Amino acid sequence: ITDGCEFVVFDMEWNQPFPGKEYPFDVSTLTGEIIEIGAVKYIYDNGQLIQRDVFSQDVRPTQYKKLHYHVKKVTRKKNSDLMKGRPFEEVSREFLEFCGPDAILGGWGNSDPAMLKMNLKFFGLDDNLGIPFLDIQPLFSSFSGQRGKQRSVEAAVDYYNIEKNDIFHSATADAHYTGRIFEEIFRHNQNR
């Protein structure tokens, strides 16, 4: 990592199909439809991550238009919230432009990049991201002395005593929290 390196820490929320409901396509080709993308862009400078920009967009679903009960409970969204979003094709294009060609994508676990690729493919868009991905979850586990344990974003926030200003399971809030964890990993390991 050299000065000027860009990181985009992102998170997404997605809706799910209802079990047993018939859909006009094979649901294995779209196990979740993205309803929110949040991201924080950082630049690496002299051993520190400095926040540069934020991306936050709701996506209007076209396939899973009614919130799955589990998604509703976790995200605290309502069905009416889904219609406030913009089309996935627009939001995904803007998100990839926000990332830029040279950024390293980061996130908590590897489910978000896989879901992004699945949605891109389902909607007939190029699913070759061409952006390297860094899973911050195992980095945290390793640097916190909990190697091999999968911890939640909230557990890592608590570990580093990061102030909890937003609810969890909002894509933008979780991207901010994950970014703060990433900052702390750098801060605590500068002299190693």
Side-chain angles (χ1 to χ4, degrees):
I1 298 174
T2 57
D3 284 353
C5 184
E6 290 184 336
F7 292 92
V8 174
V9 178
F10 86 116
D11 188 79
M12 299 185 316
E13 300 299 333
W14 56 82
N15 200 13
Q16 303 170 19
F18 282 92
K21 183 176 179 194
E22 291 289 322
Y23 291 92
F25 56 90
D26 179 357
V27 294
S28 70
T29 62
L30 189 67
T31 58
E33 185 174 12
I34 295 169
I35 57 173
E36 184 184 5
I37 302 175
V40 182
K41 183 178 276 190
Y42 289 92
I43 190 161
Y44 181 81
D45 184 30
N46 197 26
Q48 294 182 17
L49 288 178
I50 300 165
Q51 183 177 323
R52 287 288 188 232
D53 206 355
V54 175
F55 182 92
S56 179
Q57 286 291 322
D58 290 324
V59 178
R60 184 180 334 120
T62 60
Q63 305 303 313
Y64 307 141
K65 297 178 186 178
K66 184 175 179 188
L67 278 170
H68 186 277
Y69 53 87
H70 174 72
V71 175
K72 186 184 284 191
K73 179 181 174 187
V74 169
T75 64
R76 298 183 185 111
K77 288 184 181 288
K78 297 180 236 153
N79 284 318
S80 59
D81 295 332
L82 296 180
M83 293 305 109
K84 296 175 186 171
R86 296 176 47 233
F88 174 73
E89 293 81 0
E90 291 176 16
V91 174
S92 63
R93 180 180 31 80
E94 289 172 10
F95 172 65
L96 294 173
E97 287 171 3
F98 172 84
C99 292
D102 301 322
I104 296 171
L105 208 53
W108 198 261
N110 57 15
S111 60
D112 286 327
M115 187 58 66
L116 178 57
K117 288 173 71 84
M118 178 182 283
N119 275 251
L120 288 166
K121 184 174 184 175
F122 182 88
F123 290 107
L125 304 170
D126 184 4
D127 66 334
N128 181 7
L129 297 178
I131 303 171
F133 177 73
L134 178 65
D135 187 348
I136 297 168
Q137 186 180 43
L139 283 178
F140 166 74
S141 295
S142 179
F143 286 115
S144 66
Q146 303 173 43
R147 186 180 299 261
K149 291 185 180 179
Q150 285 193 343
R151 303 304 306 260
S152 68
V153 170
E154 189 168 9
V157 163
D158 290 341
Y159 179 86
Y160 286 123
N161 295 313
I162 296 168
E163 191 173 338
K164 297 178 188 177
N165 294 322
D166 293 307
I167 61 165
F168 289 88
H169 302 293
S170 150
T172 304
D174 284 359
H176 275 287
Y177 285 131
T178 304
R180 289 283 294 115
I181 294 162
F182 198 36
E183 288 177 47
E184 290 297 323
I185 290 170
F186 271 92
R187 194 171 69 76
H188 283 82
N189 295 285
Q190 278 183 322
N191 300 322
R192 284 190 178 187

